[in-house]
């Protein structure tokens, strides 16, 4: 009981006092009058952080391993100077550029093209990509921090940031040839949204039972892809698609191969958006491929290695989803706390009632526990340590916390 009381007092002080450490100076706020200027400011912060450091081998510690290039770090929530600078810049971007557009985007179930363009200009869509391809050149944890800060303001937009960074940018960096990186990775860094096309109507959790086929045409050195992908995020906005299809059904899942397909490819059709209850601005569509001819040079990775690629990418993608859910929970909590300290019943702020103190103290504890699990999984991945179990646990914990905290916050302000 004493620990609940102490934590509730700290939270009350945090909710009622000014936050100069988190709020931008007035001059900065005033300067963010236009999307273009805001994007330029964040881009400068991301691409020219104050203390760029030369990476050194990562430590071999198993838990809370620390960031590569910084030596041992005693807590996985500690950040490098670059990460802190990036996080603060993305926070400003989310508050000044994204937040004013969120209501309209949700109501219209559509992304604002200006905000997408500003994200590219700011470098938020290519945080891990090397600078020579137009990226920022930071690490995986930095991507998760950006996803979390965006999700605090709009989880729908965070979907786009997350998938672009943790799945697509990673897939080209890890499996792409030099030519593919020069041709496609530069586009992903500059102005092109990409979609990850794996799921089908009959292969959701059992992703490797997919029916999409890719037949090799020796005469033209092309693959002809036919099939339908379902529930594809960002597909309405995408200019490129990484499509998983089976190039040798006789080998089962070992025939699955990843292909880079341009939106202009004849035979590729993006269906209407799914009508969703939440995260409405994020597009979720069906993608149909009817005899799409893709040159053999557009095979991403090796023929028959698509199943292994998908597993590896989705393992680390879970950490990004966890970061998104931590951001969602923080956003709901931060929105509710000032209200419960302002609203009075029986002459007292409702936050002062012990029953409420127990609730928001525990909520803060749950958010922090999910955050630590996500950061730890990210640090392990970044340090080259085993992280699959930690990633799965972090995603599960963070999603449960997000659902629980969001529901409680609705109750508190009801």
């Amino acid at each position: 009981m004493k620990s609940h009381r102490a934590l509730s007092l700290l939270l009350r002080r945090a909710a009622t006092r000014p936050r100069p450490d988190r709020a931008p100076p007035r001059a900065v706020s005033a300067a963010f009058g236009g999307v273009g200027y805001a994007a330029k400011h964040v881009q400068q912060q991301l691409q020219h952080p104050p203390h760029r450091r030369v990476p050194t081998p990562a430590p071999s510690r198993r838990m809370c391993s620390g960031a590569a290039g910084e030596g041992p770090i005693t807590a996985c929530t500690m950040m490098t100077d670059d990460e802190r600078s990036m996080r603060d810049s993305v926070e400003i971007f989310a508050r000044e550029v994204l937040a004013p557009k969120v209501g309209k985007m949700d109501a219209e179930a559509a992304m604002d093209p200006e905000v997408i363009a500003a994200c590219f200009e700011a470098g938020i869509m290519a945080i891990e990509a090397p600078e020579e391809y137009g990226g920022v050149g930071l690490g995986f944890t930095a991507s998760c921090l950006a996803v979390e800060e965006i999700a605090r303001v709009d989880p729908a937009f965070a979907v786009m940031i997350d998938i672009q960074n943790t799945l697509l940018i990673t897939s080209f960096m890890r499996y792409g040839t030099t030519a593919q990186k020069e041709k496609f990775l530069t586009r992903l860094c500059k102005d092109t949204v990409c979609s990850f096309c794996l799921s089908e109507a009959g292969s959701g959790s059992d992703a490797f039972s997919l029916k999409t086929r890719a037949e090799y045409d020796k005469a033209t050195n092309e693959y002809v892809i036919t099939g339908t992908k379902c529930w594809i995020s960002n597909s309405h906005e995408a200019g490129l698609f990484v499509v998983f299809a089976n190039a040798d059904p006789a080998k089962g899942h070992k025939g699955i191969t990843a292909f880079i397909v341009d939106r202009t490819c004849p035979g590729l059709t993006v269906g209407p958006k799914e009508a969703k209850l939440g995260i409405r601005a994020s597009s979720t569509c069906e993608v149909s491929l009817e005899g799409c001819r893709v040159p053999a040079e557009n095979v991403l990775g090796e023929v028959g290695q698509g199943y292994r690629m998908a597993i590896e990418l989705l393992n680390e993608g879970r950490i990004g989803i966890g970061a998104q859910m931590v951001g969602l929970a923080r956003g709901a909590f931060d929105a509710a706390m000032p209200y419960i300290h302002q609203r009075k019943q029986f002459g007292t702020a409702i936050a002062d009632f012990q029953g409420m103190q127990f609730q928001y103290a525990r909520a803060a504890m749950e958010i922090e526990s999910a955050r630590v699990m996500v950061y730890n999984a990210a640090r392990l991945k970044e340090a080259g340590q085993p992280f699959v179990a930690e990633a799965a646990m972090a995603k599960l914990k963070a999603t449960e916390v997000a659902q629980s905290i969001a529901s409680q916050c609705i109750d508190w302000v009801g």
Side-chain angles (χ1 to χ4, degrees):
M1 182 175 293
K2 288 182 179 180
S3 60
H4 276 85
R5 176 66 176 172
L7 181 54
S8 67
L9 287 172
L10 289 172
L11 292 169
R12 180 171 62 182
R13 292 170 187 164
T16 55
R17 71 169 182 258
R19 296 293 301 276
D21 60 317
R22 303 296 281 173
R26 287 189 178 183
V28 174
S29 297
F32 272 80
V35 169
Y37 187 94
K40 185 176 181 180
H41 173 81
V42 178
Q43 181 187 39
Q44 291 172 346
Q45 293 294 314
L46 285 171
Q47 296 186 346
H48 304 286
H51 302 292
R52 178 72 69 181
R53 304 192 179 188
V54 179
T56 56
S60 60
R61 297 172 61 193
R62 180 75 176 91
M63 301 297 289
C64 294
S65 55
E70 295 298 317
I73 291 181
T74 56
C76 56
T77 53
M78 293 179 68
M79 302 178 195
T80 66
D81 292 330
D82 287 356
E83 289 170 346
R84 190 177 298 106
S85 176
M86 184 278 308
R87 180 206 62 187
D88 293 344
S89 297
V90 175
E91 181 190 20
I92 294 173
F93 180 94
R95 183 171 60 250
E96 301 293 340
V97 179
L98 177 59
K101 306 279 190 177
V102 170
K104 183 180 179 182
M105 290 195 300
D106 184 74
E108 297 178 354
M111 293 286 189
D112 188 314
E114 279 193 10
V115 180
I116 297 175
C119 257
F120 276 108
E121 188 177 348
I124 301 173
M125 297 291 274
I127 293 170
E128 283 191 86
E131 293 180 84
E132 61 261 35
Y133 296 109
V136 178
L138 294 180
F140 181 79
T141 300
S143 293
C144 292
L145 292 170
V147 170
E148 180 184 343
E149 291 302 325
I150 293 292
R152 283 184 67 195
V153 173
D154 185 14
F157 207 86
V159 172
M160 178 176 288
I161 304 295
D162 179 25
I163 293 174
Q164 184 89 353
N165 279 285
T166 66
L167 288 182
L168 281 316
I169 292 289
T170 302
S171 66
F172 281 92
M173 286 172 53
R174 184 176 301 165
Y175 305 110
T177 63
T178 300
Q180 288 173 341
K181 291 175 183 177
E182 292 175 350
K183 183 177 181 179
F184 299 113
L185 184 56
T186 51
R187 290 176 59 186
L188 266 64
C189 294
K190 182 180 179 182
D191 58 13
T192 303
V193 176
C194 191
S195 279
F196 191 82
C197 302
L198 178 63
S199 298
E200 299 179 5
S203 59
S205 298
D206 182 15
F208 299 137
S209 63
L210 58 84
K211 303 300 181 184
T212 299
R213 298 291 183 256
E215 297 183 7
Y216 180 63
D217 185 344
K218 188 175 182 180
T220 61
N221 194 29
E222 295 175 320
Y223 284 89
V224 183
I225 304 176
T226 300
T228 301
K229 299 295 182 177
C230 299
W231 314 295
I232 305 304
S233 298
N234 305 335
S235 48
H236 181 77
E237 297 80 13
L240 280 176
F241 300 83
V242 172
V243 177
F244 290 83
N246 201 319
D248 191 350
K251 294 183 179 179
H253 68 275
K254 292 187 178 181
I256 296 174
T257 305
F259 298 88
I260 306 166
V261 184
D262 195 280
R263 191 185 187 98
T264 60
C265 180
L268 186 146
T269 305
V270 178
K273 301 176 187 177
E274 300 283 353
K276 298 181 294 186
L277 179 63
I279 313 186
R280 289 167 44 78
S282 172
S283 63
T284 305
C285 310
E286 183 178 272
V287 177
S288 297
L289 304 101
E290 294 295 334
C292 288
R293 288 187 167 269
V294 178
E297 65 189 29
N298 279 25
V299 170
L300 184 60
E302 299 178 12
V303 175
Q305 292 299 306
Y307 76 102
R308 179 180 59 83
M309 293 166 54
I311 288 175
E312 292 177 355
L313 291 166
L314 292 173
N315 281 338
E316 57 196 69
R318 293 187 182 99
I319 306 173
I321 296 298
Q324 180 195 2
M325 294 297 101
V326 170
L328 189 160
R330 287 178 57 205
F333 187 83
D334 291 347
M337 285 297 287
Y339 176 84
I340 65 175
H341 284 85
Q342 295 165 7
R343 176 171 167 76
K344 292 186 176 182
Q345 290 287 283
F346 308 104
T348 302
I350 60 175
D352 290 337
F353 291 105
Q354 191 177 57
M356 280 298 300
Q357 291 173 346
F358 286 169
Q359 292 182 52
Y360 62 77
R362 178 167 291 278
M365 179 184 69
E366 289 294 321
I367 293 172
E368 183 65 11
S369 65
R371 179 170 167 260
V372 169
M373 291 181 72
V374 169
Y375 287 17
N376 183 56
R379 294 296 188 198
L380 289 170
K381 185 268 173 188
E382 203 167 47
Q385 299 296 308
F387 68 91
V388 175
E390 287 84 355
M393 289 189 286
K395 179 187 176 185
L396 175 59
K397 177 65 175 178
T399 52
E400 290 180 345
V401 167
Q403 191 274 338
S404 173
I405 300 305
S407 296
Q408 288 183 68
C409 290
I410 291 173
D411 291 341
W412 296 347
V413 302

